Amino acid sequence: MFDDRTDAGEQLATRLREEDVEADLVVGIPRGALPVARPVADALDVPLDIVAAKKMGAPDNPEYAIGAAAPDGSAWLNEDAIDRLGVSEEYVDAERERAADTAREKEETYREGEPEPVAGRRVVIVDDGVATGATMTASVRRLRNAGADSVVVAVPVGPPRTLDRLRGEADAVVALQEPERFQAVGQFYRSFGQVSDEEARAYLRD
């Protein structure tokens, strides 16, 4: 159990240093990742930036993820769910474009100034936890497409099945906890309040 996101970030930073993970850049998925990512970036002594992705919702249940997309169109599609629900290709394409536009707006909201370059750099991507891993997968693919030299996923907690799938996407995955019984990320935090837009921007300015 983590006290809050900052506590989780400090523990994650310690683990990354213990495992000798080297990085040139840390990126967090806004907003919840930023209190976790800030201690990681500070411990590794590298800049902190963001990478955004947005969940793609099912036609009759927008909360159910059929995938996720990043601003450049990089995406992960839950093919099993798409087939099971009979989602049309036209819907998937439109939802992917909508999600990419929303993710682009997110980045513009939180980032002040130019984005940190990714090409040729070793990147650690942080979130406060993963459940389905949809947005994390889309974000990893975006970093790959931008020319990252390596991508390491670093999270405080996530279910084993999701983390195993992410190991097929990233160069490495570092997770502090991999509980078999997993319902939601927030159950592993004593304090898991929402991070405001202003707080998110403040973490990026530190």
Side-chain angles (χ1 to χ4, degrees):
M1 183 74 70
F2 305 106
D3 290 338
D4 55 21
R5 289 181 176 90
T6 297
D7 173 48
E10 291 169 350
Q11 292 189 45
L12 193 57
T14 298
R15 175 69 64 83
L16 289 164
R17 294 179 73 176
E18 288 173 350
E19 296 193 8
D20 295 323
V21 172
E22 296 183 346
D24 304 302
L25 175 67
V26 169
V27 296
I29 301 175
R31 293 170 293 189
L34 292 171
V36 185
R38 181 78 261 171
V40 172
D42 290 347
L44 299 179
D45 196 24
V46 298
L48 173 63
D49 202 354
I50 54 174
V51 58
K54 180 66 177 174
K55 180 170 62 179
M56 299 164 55
D60 297 319
N61 184 4
E63 291 304 310
Y64 184 77
I66 60 169
D72 67 340
S74 301
W76 171 74
L77 301 180
N78 186 341
E79 301 287 0
D80 289 343
I82 290 169
D83 291 344
R84 186 174 67 254
L85 297 172
V87 182
S88 70
E89 185 176 341
E90 291 77 14
Y91 178 90
V92 171
D93 289 344
E95 184 68 1
R96 180 174 179 163
E97 185 174 342
R98 181 203 63 77
D101 287 344
T102 302
R104 191 176 304 114
E105 291 169 5
K106 265 191 174 185
E107 290 194 352
E108 291 171 356
T109 297
Y110 301 119
R111 181 185 286 123
E112 298 175 356
E114 293 299 311
E116 287 283 339
V118 170
R121 301 176 87 178
R122 299 164 297 179
V123 184
V124 173
I125 180 170
V126 175
D127 206 349
D128 53 15
V130 291
T132 66
T135 55
M136 179 62 81
T137 304
S139 298
V140 170
R141 292 181 179 182
R142 184 191 181 188
L143 294 170
R144 294 275 195 215
N145 291 339
D149 185 59
S150 65
V151 181
V152 173
V153 170
V155 292
V157 62
R161 184 176 177 182
T162 296
L163 295 169
D164 285 345
R165 182 167 54 76
L166 286 169
R167 289 184 177 100
E169 297 280 343
D171 292 279
V173 172
V174 176
L176 299 178
Q177 297 181 22
E178 301 186 30
E180 291 287 348
R181 293 186 176 184
F182 184 100
Q183 293 179 323
V185 171
Q187 78 184 93
F188 299 96
Y189 287 82
R190 293 186 179 88
S191 175
F192 196 68
Q194 283 202 345
V195 177
S196 70
D197 290 347
E198 184 50 44
E199 285 177 305
R201 286 189 285 266
Y203 285 113
L204 288 168
R205 285 195 295 265
D206 283 353

PDB file of all heavy atoms in Angstrom, residues 8-37:
ATOM      1  N   ALA A   8       4.731   6.678  -3.834  1.00  0.00           N
ATOM      2  CA  ALA A   8       4.925   5.645  -4.853  1.00  0.00           C
ATOM      3  C   ALA A   8       6.073   6.016  -5.792  1.00  0.00           C
ATOM      4  O   ALA A   8       6.887   5.163  -6.173  1.00  0.00           O
ATOM      5  CB  ALA A   8       3.641   5.449  -5.646  1.00  0.00           C
ATOM      6  N   GLY A   9       6.149   7.307  -6.146  1.00  0.00           N
ATOM      7  CA  GLY A   9       7.218   7.757  -7.025  1.00  0.00           C
ATOM      8  C   GLY A   9       8.584   7.633  -6.393  1.00  0.00           C
ATOM      9  O   GLY A   9       9.558   7.239  -7.053  1.00  0.00           O
ATOM     10  N   GLU A  10       8.665   7.932  -5.109  1.00  0.00           N
ATOM     11  CA  GLU A  10       9.950   7.812  -4.417  1.00  0.00           C
ATOM     12  C   GLU A  10      10.391   6.349  -4.327  1.00  0.00           C
ATOM     13  O   GLU A  10      11.572   6.031  -4.527  1.00  0.00           O
ATOM     14  CB  GLU A  10       9.833   8.439  -3.025  1.00  0.00           C
ATOM     15  CG  GLU A  10       9.691   9.958  -3.075  1.00  0.00           C
ATOM     16  CD  GLU A  10       9.320  10.576  -1.739  1.00  0.00           C
ATOM     17  OE1 GLU A  10       8.982   9.797  -0.802  1.00  0.00           O
ATOM     18  OE2 GLU A  10       9.363  11.817  -1.625  1.00  0.00           O
ATOM     19  N   GLN A  11       9.441   5.455  -4.053  1.00  0.00           N
ATOM     20  CA  GLN A  11       9.782   4.036  -4.009  1.00  0.00           C
ATOM     21  C   GLN A  11      10.171   3.522  -5.391  1.00  0.00           C
ATOM     22  O   GLN A  11      11.092   2.710  -5.531  1.00  0.00           O
ATOM     23  CB  GLN A  11       8.600   3.227  -3.469  1.00  0.00           C
ATOM     24  CG  GLN A  11       8.293   3.468  -2.005  1.00  0.00           C
ATOM     25  CD  GLN A  11       7.266   2.501  -1.472  1.00  0.00           C
ATOM     26  OE1 GLN A  11       7.333   1.299  -1.737  1.00  0.00           O
ATOM     27  NE2 GLN A  11       6.298   3.005  -0.721  1.00  0.00           N
ATOM     28  N   LEU A  12       9.468   4.008  -6.401  1.00  0.00           N
ATOM     29  CA  LEU A  12       9.776   3.595  -7.769  1.00  0.00           C
ATOM     30  C   LEU A  12      11.160   4.095  -8.187  1.00  0.00           C
ATOM     31  O   LEU A  12      11.931   3.365  -8.831  1.00  0.00           O
ATOM     32  CB  LEU A  12       8.705   4.137  -8.719  1.00  0.00           C
ATOM     33  CG  LEU A  12       8.668   3.584 -10.146  1.00  0.00           C
ATOM     34  CD1 LEU A  12       8.508   2.070 -10.152  1.00  0.00           C
ATOM     35  CD2 LEU A  12       7.525   4.254 -10.921  1.00  0.00           C
ATOM     36  N   ALA A  13      11.482   5.321  -7.808  1.00  0.00           N
ATOM     37  CA  ALA A  13      12.804   5.874  -8.112  1.00  0.00           C
ATOM     38  C   ALA A  13      13.903   5.032  -7.485  1.00  0.00           C
ATOM     39  O   ALA A  13      14.936   4.740  -8.113  1.00  0.00           O
ATOM     40  CB  ALA A  13      12.887   7.317  -7.616  1.00  0.00           C
ATOM     41  N   THR A  14      13.687   4.614  -6.232  1.00  0.00           N
ATOM     42  CA  THR A  14      14.674   3.767  -5.552  1.00  0.00           C
ATOM     43  C   THR A  14      14.878   2.449  -6.294  1.00  0.00           C
ATOM     44  O   THR A  14      16.009   2.003  -6.495  1.00  0.00           O
ATOM     45  CB  THR A  14      14.231   3.487  -4.108  1.00  0.00           C
ATOM     46  OG1 THR A  14      14.158   4.722  -3.395  1.00  0.00           O
ATOM     47  CG2 THR A  14      15.204   2.559  -3.410  1.00  0.00           C
ATOM     48  N   ARG A  15      13.781   1.829  -6.734  1.00  0.00           N
ATOM     49  CA  ARG A  15      13.885   0.562  -7.455  1.00  0.00           C
ATOM     50  C   ARG A  15      14.628   0.744  -8.773  1.00  0.00           C
ATOM     51  O   ARG A  15      15.466  -0.096  -9.140  1.00  0.00           O
ATOM     52  CB  ARG A  15      12.485   0.010  -7.710  1.00  0.00           C
ATOM     53  CG  ARG A  15      12.464  -1.262  -8.569  1.00  0.00           C
ATOM     54  CD  ARG A  15      13.046  -2.473  -7.872  1.00  0.00           C
ATOM     55  NE  ARG A  15      12.252  -2.836  -6.716  1.00  0.00           N
ATOM     56  CZ  ARG A  15      11.126  -3.590  -6.789  1.00  0.00           C
ATOM     57  NH1 ARG A  15      10.713  -4.050  -7.954  1.00  0.00           N
ATOM     58  NH2 ARG A  15      10.462  -3.866  -5.690  1.00  0.00           N
ATOM     59  N   LEU A  16      14.338   1.809  -9.489  1.00  0.00           N
ATOM     60  CA  LEU A  16      15.006   2.043 -10.771  1.00  0.00           C
ATOM     61  C   LEU A  16      16.508   2.225 -10.586  1.00  0.00           C
ATOM     62  O   LEU A  16      17.304   1.722 -11.382  1.00  0.00           O
ATOM     63  CB  LEU A  16      14.394   3.264 -11.464  1.00  0.00           C
ATOM     64  CG  LEU A  16      12.970   3.069 -12.007  1.00  0.00           C
ATOM     65  CD1 LEU A  16      12.334   4.416 -12.318  1.00  0.00           C
ATOM     66  CD2 LEU A  16      12.997   2.197 -13.257  1.00  0.00           C
ATOM     67  N   ARG A  17      16.886   2.918  -9.533  1.00  0.00           N
ATOM     68  CA  ARG A  17      18.314   3.100  -9.264  1.00  0.00           C
ATOM     69  C   ARG A  17      18.961   1.781  -8.838  1.00  0.00           C
ATOM     70  O   ARG A  17      20.085   1.481  -9.224  1.00  0.00           O
ATOM     71  CB  ARG A  17      18.507   4.177  -8.198  1.00  0.00           C
ATOM     72  CG  ARG A  17      18.078   5.569  -8.687  1.00  0.00           C
ATOM     73  CD  ARG A  17      18.235   6.632  -7.635  1.00  0.00           C
ATOM     74  NE  ARG A  17      19.631   6.971  -7.407  1.00  0.00           N
ATOM     75  CZ  ARG A  17      20.040   7.931  -6.590  1.00  0.00           C
ATOM     76  NH1 ARG A  17      19.142   8.641  -5.911  1.00  0.00           N
ATOM     77  NH2 ARG A  17      21.311   8.198  -6.435  1.00  0.00           N
ATOM     78  N   GLU A  18      18.239   0.984  -8.058  1.00  0.00           N
ATOM     79  CA  GLU A  18      18.756  -0.325  -7.660  1.00  0.00           C
ATOM     80  C   GLU A  18      18.981  -1.225  -8.877  1.00  0.00           C
ATOM     81  O   GLU A  18      19.919  -2.042  -8.885  1.00  0.00           O
ATOM     82  CB  GLU A  18      17.786  -1.009  -6.697  1.00  0.00           C
ATOM     83  CG  GLU A  18      17.753  -0.381  -5.309  1.00  0.00           C
ATOM     84  CD  GLU A  18      16.655  -0.966  -4.438  1.00  0.00           C
ATOM     85  OE1 GLU A  18      15.801  -1.713  -4.958  1.00  0.00           O
ATOM     86  OE2 GLU A  18      16.647  -0.656  -3.223  1.00  0.00           O
ATOM     87  N   GLU A  19      18.116  -1.091  -9.866  1.00  0.00           N
ATOM     88  CA  GLU A  19      18.233  -1.924 -11.058  1.00  0.00           C
ATOM     89  C   GLU A  19      19.113  -1.276 -12.133  1.00  0.00           C
ATOM     90  O   GLU A  19      19.195  -1.785 -13.258  1.00  0.00           O
ATOM     91  CB  GLU A  19      16.838  -2.233 -11.612  1.00  0.00           C
ATOM     92  CG  GLU A  19      15.994  -3.051 -10.646  1.00  0.00           C
ATOM     93  CD  GLU A  19      14.742  -3.636 -11.258  1.00  0.00           C
ATOM     94  OE1 GLU A  19      14.575  -3.542 -12.497  1.00  0.00           O
ATOM     95  OE2 GLU A  19      13.923  -4.200 -10.511  1.00  0.00           O
ATOM     96  N   ASP A  20      19.752  -0.165 -11.775  1.00  0.00           N
ATOM     97  CA  ASP A  20      20.689   0.519 -12.676  1.00  0.00           C
ATOM     98  C   ASP A  20      20.050   0.900 -14.007  1.00  0.00           C
ATOM     99  O   ASP A  20      20.681   0.804 -15.073  1.00  0.00           O
ATOM    100  CB  ASP A  20      21.932  -0.351 -12.930  1.00  0.00           C
ATOM    101  CG  ASP A  20      22.761  -0.562 -11.672  1.00  0.00           C
ATOM    102  OD1 ASP A  20      22.863   0.390 -10.870  1.00  0.00           O
ATOM    103  OD2 ASP A  20      23.291  -1.675 -11.490  1.00  0.00           O
ATOM    104  N   VAL A  21      18.803   1.328 -13.948  1.00  0.00           N
ATOM    105  CA  VAL A  21      18.132   1.805 -15.165  1.00  0.00           C
ATOM    106  C   VAL A  21      18.694   3.175 -15.525  1.00  0.00           C
ATOM    107  O   VAL A  21      18.716   4.086 -14.700  1.00  0.00           O
ATOM    108  CB  VAL A  21      16.604   1.884 -14.954  1.00  0.00           C
ATOM    109  CG1 VAL A  21      15.936   2.551 -16.149  1.00  0.00           C
ATOM    110  CG2 VAL A  21      16.028   0.494 -14.719  1.00  0.00           C
ATOM    111  N   GLU A  22      19.161   3.297 -16.738  1.00  0.00           N
ATOM    112  CA  GLU A  22      19.712   4.570 -17.214  1.00  0.00           C
ATOM    113  C   GLU A  22      18.698   5.243 -18.132  1.00  0.00           C
ATOM    114  O   GLU A  22      18.026   4.581 -18.918  1.00  0.00           O
ATOM    115  CB  GLU A  22      21.031   4.333 -17.952  1.00  0.00           C
ATOM    116  CG  GLU A  22      22.127   3.772 -17.052  1.00  0.00           C
ATOM    117  CD  GLU A  22      23.444   3.621 -17.781  1.00  0.00           C
ATOM    118  OE1 GLU A  22      23.457   3.700 -19.024  1.00  0.00           O
ATOM    119  OE2 GLU A  22      24.465   3.424 -17.094  1.00  0.00           O
ATOM    120  N   ALA A  23      18.613   6.550 -18.014  1.00  0.00           N
ATOM    121  CA  ALA A  23      17.625   7.287 -18.803  1.00  0.00           C
ATOM    122  C   ALA A  23      18.159   8.652 -19.185  1.00  0.00           C
ATOM    123  O   ALA A  23      19.019   9.221 -18.504  1.00  0.00           O
ATOM    124  CB  ALA A  23      16.332   7.442 -18.006  1.00  0.00           C
ATOM    125  N   ASP A  24      17.628   9.151 -20.288  1.00  0.00           N
ATOM    126  CA  ASP A  24      17.896  10.528 -20.713  1.00  0.00           C
ATOM    127  C   ASP A  24      16.665  11.405 -20.523  1.00  0.00           C
ATOM    128  O   ASP A  24      16.751  12.629 -20.579  1.00  0.00           O
ATOM    129  CB  ASP A  24      18.300  10.557 -22.193  1.00  0.00           C
ATOM    130  CG  ASP A  24      19.490   9.652 -22.482  1.00  0.00           C
ATOM    131  OD1 ASP A  24      20.541   9.866 -21.860  1.00  0.00           O
ATOM    132  OD2 ASP A  24      19.352   8.732 -23.316  1.00  0.00           O
ATOM    133  N   LEU A  25      15.508  10.750 -20.326  1.00  0.00           N
ATOM    134  CA  LEU A  25      14.240  11.475 -20.242  1.00  0.00           C
ATOM    135  C   LEU A  25      13.225  10.607 -19.509  1.00  0.00           C
ATOM    136  O   LEU A  25      13.164   9.401 -19.716  1.00  0.00           O
ATOM    137  CB  LEU A  25      13.724  11.789 -21.655  1.00  0.00           C
ATOM    138  CG  LEU A  25      12.348  12.438 -21.794  1.00  0.00           C
ATOM    139  CD1 LEU A  25      12.358  13.860 -21.220  1.00  0.00           C
ATOM    140  CD2 LEU A  25      11.922  12.472 -23.266  1.00  0.00           C
ATOM    141  N   VAL A  26      12.436  11.249 -18.632  1.00  0.00           N
ATOM    142  CA  VAL A  26      11.289  10.600 -18.011  1.00  0.00           C
ATOM    143  C   VAL A  26      10.029  11.280 -18.538  1.00  0.00           C
ATOM    144  O   VAL A  26       9.977  12.513 -18.619  1.00  0.00           O
ATOM    145  CB  VAL A  26      11.340  10.700 -16.473  1.00  0.00           C
ATOM    146  CG1 VAL A  26      10.007  10.255 -15.849  1.00  0.00           C
ATOM    147  CG2 VAL A  26      12.478   9.851 -15.920  1.00  0.00           C
ATOM    148  N   VAL A  27       9.032  10.494 -18.901  1.00  0.00           N
ATOM    149  CA  VAL A  27       7.751  11.058 -19.329  1.00  0.00           C
ATOM    150  C   VAL A  27       6.640  10.441 -18.488  1.00  0.00           C
ATOM    151  O   VAL A  27       6.696   9.263 -18.124  1.00  0.00           O
ATOM    152  CB  VAL A  27       7.463  10.821 -20.835  1.00  0.00           C
ATOM    153  CG1 VAL A  27       8.479  11.543 -21.694  1.00  0.00           C
ATOM    154  CG2 VAL A  27       7.416   9.337 -21.176  1.00  0.00           C
ATOM    155  N   GLY A  28       5.654  11.273 -18.158  1.00  0.00           N
ATOM    156  CA  GLY A  28       4.501  10.810 -17.402  1.00  0.00           C
ATOM    157  C   GLY A  28       3.240  10.976 -18.223  1.00  0.00           C
ATOM    158  O   GLY A  28       3.158  11.858 -19.089  1.00  0.00           O
ATOM    159  N   ILE A  29       2.268  10.124 -17.967  1.00  0.00           N
ATOM    160  CA  ILE A  29       0.976  10.209 -18.643  1.00  0.00           C
ATOM    161  C   ILE A  29       0.070  11.091 -17.784  1.00  0.00           C
ATOM    162  O   ILE A  29      -0.273  10.714 -16.658  1.00  0.00           O
ATOM    163  CB  ILE A  29       0.367   8.806 -18.840  1.00  0.00           C
ATOM    164  CG1 ILE A  29       1.308   7.931 -19.676  1.00  0.00           C
ATOM    165  CG2 ILE A  29      -1.008   8.902 -19.481  1.00  0.00           C
ATOM    166  CD1 ILE A  29       0.869   6.488 -19.827  1.00  0.00           C
ATOM    167  N   PRO A  30      -0.300  12.280 -18.277  1.00  0.00           N
ATOM    168  CA  PRO A  30      -1.078  13.201 -17.434  1.00  0.00           C
ATOM    169  C   PRO A  30      -2.500  12.670 -17.207  1.00  0.00           C
ATOM    170  O   PRO A  30      -3.035  11.972 -18.042  1.00  0.00           O
ATOM    171  CB  PRO A  30      -1.099  14.489 -18.260  1.00  0.00           C
ATOM    172  CG  PRO A  30      -0.896  14.054 -19.672  1.00  0.00           C
ATOM    173  CD  PRO A  30      -0.050  12.814 -19.612  1.00  0.00           C
ATOM    174  N   ARG A  31      -3.034  13.014 -15.986  1.00  0.00           N
ATOM    175  CA  ARG A  31      -2.435  13.859 -14.970  1.00  0.00           C
ATOM    176  C   ARG A  31      -1.841  13.051 -13.825  1.00  0.00           C
ATOM    177  O   ARG A  31      -0.888  13.442 -13.184  1.00  0.00           O
ATOM    178  CB  ARG A  31      -3.503  14.807 -14.402  1.00  0.00           C
ATOM    179  CG  ARG A  31      -4.023  15.845 -15.370  1.00  0.00           C
ATOM    180  CD  ARG A  31      -5.226  16.590 -14.847  1.00  0.00           C
ATOM    181  NE  ARG A  31      -6.363  15.672 -14.733  1.00  0.00           N
ATOM    182  CZ  ARG A  31      -7.599  16.066 -14.475  1.00  0.00           C
ATOM    183  NH1 ARG A  31      -7.849  17.355 -14.272  1.00  0.00           N
ATOM    184  NH2 ARG A  31      -8.587  15.204 -14.376  1.00  0.00           N
ATOM    185  N   GLY A  32      -2.444  11.894 -13.563  1.00  0.00           N
ATOM    186  CA  GLY A  32      -2.105  11.148 -12.361  1.00  0.00           C
ATOM    187  C   GLY A  32      -0.674  10.682 -12.264  1.00  0.00           C
ATOM    188  O   GLY A  32      -0.164  10.449 -11.165  1.00  0.00           O
ATOM    189  N   ALA A  33      -0.001  10.562 -13.400  1.00  0.00           N
ATOM    190  CA  ALA A  33       1.378  10.072 -13.371  1.00  0.00           C
ATOM    191  C   ALA A  33       2.370  11.114 -12.875  1.00  0.00           C
ATOM    192  O   ALA A  33       3.450  10.748 -12.403  1.00  0.00           O
ATOM    193  CB  ALA A  33       1.802   9.621 -14.768  1.00  0.00           C
ATOM    194  N   LEU A  34       2.033  12.384 -12.971  1.00  0.00           N
ATOM    195  CA  LEU A  34       3.057  13.407 -12.756  1.00  0.00           C
ATOM    196  C   LEU A  34       3.598  13.460 -11.326  1.00  0.00           C
ATOM    197  O   LEU A  34       4.817  13.631 -11.145  1.00  0.00           O
ATOM    198  CB  LEU A  34       2.539  14.767 -13.223  1.00  0.00           C
ATOM    199  CG  LEU A  34       2.371  14.818 -14.753  1.00  0.00           C
ATOM    200  CD1 LEU A  34       1.646  16.077 -15.177  1.00  0.00           C
ATOM    201  CD2 LEU A  34       3.720  14.712 -15.448  1.00  0.00           C
ATOM    202  N   PRO A  35       2.776  13.286 -10.277  1.00  0.00           N
ATOM    203  CA  PRO A  35       3.364  13.234  -8.929  1.00  0.00           C
ATOM    204  C   PRO A  35       4.261  12.014  -8.735  1.00  0.00           C
ATOM    205  O   PRO A  35       5.141  12.033  -7.864  1.00  0.00           O
ATOM    206  CB  PRO A  35       2.137  13.165  -8.002  1.00  0.00           C
ATOM    207  CG  PRO A  35       0.981  13.605  -8.825  1.00  0.00           C
ATOM    208  CD  PRO A  35       1.303  13.242 -10.239  1.00  0.00           C
ATOM    209  N   VAL A  36       4.037  10.961  -9.501  1.00  0.00           N
ATOM    210  CA  VAL A  36       4.885   9.773  -9.441  1.00  0.00           C
ATOM    211  C   VAL A  36       6.161   9.995 -10.246  1.00  0.00           C
ATOM    212  O   VAL A  36       7.262   9.640  -9.828  1.00  0.00           O
ATOM    213  CB  VAL A  36       4.131   8.534  -9.991  1.00  0.00           C
ATOM    214  CG1 VAL A  36       4.969   7.278  -9.826  1.00  0.00           C
ATOM    215  CG2 VAL A  36       2.780   8.365  -9.303  1.00  0.00           C
ATOM    216  N   ALA A  37       6.008  10.605 -11.401  1.00  0.00           N
ATOM    217  CA  ALA A  37       7.135  10.783 -12.319  1.00  0.00           C
ATOM    218  C   ALA A  37       8.143  11.820 -11.847  1.00  0.00           C
ATOM    219  O   ALA A  37       9.333  11.718 -12.148  1.00  0.00           O
ATOM    220  CB  ALA A  37       6.615  11.162 -13.707  1.00  0.00           C
TER     221      ALA A  37
END
